[in-house]
Amino acid sequence: MAKIFQVSVRAGMTRVVEPIARGLLRAGVSPNAVTVTGTLGVLAGALGFGARGHLVAGALIVTFFALTDLLDGTMARMSGGSTRFGAFLDSSMDRVADSAVFGAVAYWLATEGDHAGVSAALLCLAAGGLVSYVKARAEGLGMTCNVGIAERTERLLIVGVGGLLTGFGVPHALQIALWLLAAVSIFTVGQRIAHVYRQAREATPDGSQG
């Protein structure tokens, strides 16, 4: 099934990012440095602004620094491919950033007395972590798991749009975005489990676990 954030859009953004990536590499900046800087920027936007109710500023800062996911990946490709540590660092920093975003949203909603919104934010946090874990576990077992309607970019876009609309005065936009995100994240977990199950069945046609 096609992802929400279409491949053609990703490709277009990559063409914009490539000149920046070349410039940073020429300046001696490493992909790992960009990864860490992007995570620190997301932390600043989420905890410094979003958690305090400055949703527009928080969403814009988080979105800007979240795009370093494209930048560091492009830099790694241009410099000969990602190293094992670089891939590990990137995944680890993604989890830190995601935790900060949804933790900040949950904290702000709690200060507003919105218990249903807090529940949605915590569900998004748990489901988002599970989406990533299922893929990592499958790949660790030698299978592929590049499926799902809501990967990390899609999840951040959904919560970012919700935060922006709420910041501009649209009632319940963030809460609706969170419940939508929780639903598509859980659906994505199911998609990935089903995808891995089919691969496992093909590897063992009799259905036994070997």
Side-chain angles (χ1 to χ4, degrees):
M1 183 178 292
K3 297 177 178 62
I4 296 172
F5 194 46
Q6 296 294 330
V7 173
S8 59
V9 177
R10 293 177 187 266
M13 293 187 67
T14 299
R15 286 194 291 270
V16 173
V17 165
E18 283 181 348
I20 302 173
R22 290 193 191 93
L24 290 173
L25 288 171
R26 283 196 296 267
V29 179
S30 71
N32 290 347
V34 172
T35 298
V36 173
T37 300
T39 301
L40 293 175
V42 170
L43 290 174
L47 303 179
F49 291 88
R52 298 167 59 192
H54 304 302
L55 300 183
V56 174
L60 291 175
I61 293 170
V62 166
T63 300
F64 175 80
F65 282 101
L67 291 176
T68 57
D69 242 11
L70 287 174
L71 182 58
D72 60 9
T74 302
M75 291 173 66
R77 176 174 55 80
M78 289 180 170
S79 59
S82 176
T83 64
R84 293 176 67 184
F85 176 74
F88 167 80
L89 179 66
D90 185 60
S91 296
S92 299
M93 291 297 100
D94 284 351
R95 303 292 78 74
V96 171
D98 291 354
S99 297
V101 169
F102 291 103
V105 169
Y107 175 83
W108 177 72
L109 289 169
T111 65
E112 297 292 303
D114 186 347
H115 302 299
V118 172
S119 298
L122 294 178
L123 185 56
C124 287
L125 178 57
L130 189 55
V131 167
S132 300
Y133 172 79
V134 169
K135 180 178 180 179
R137 183 62 177 148
E139 291 176 344
L141 293 172
M143 292 180 277
T144 62
C145 200
N146 295 315
V147 298
I149 61 172
E151 295 190 346
R152 183 172 185 261
T153 303
E154 286 80 9
R155 298 197 301 272
L156 290 178
L157 282 174
I158 291 171
V159 73
V161 169
L164 280 173
L165 292 176
T166 296
F168 284 124
V170 179
H172 310 300
L174 180 57
Q175 292 86 339
I176 293 170
L178 288 171
W179 284 113
L180 172 63
L181 178 54
V184 298
S185 296
I186 292 170
F187 185 77
T188 297
V189 172
Q191 281 185 297
R192 291 187 167 183
I193 291 174
H195 182 71
V196 172
Y197 175 74
R198 287 192 294 270
Q199 290 179 77
R201 291 279 295 184
E202 291 170 2
T204 54
D206 61 354
S208 63
Q209 296 180 358

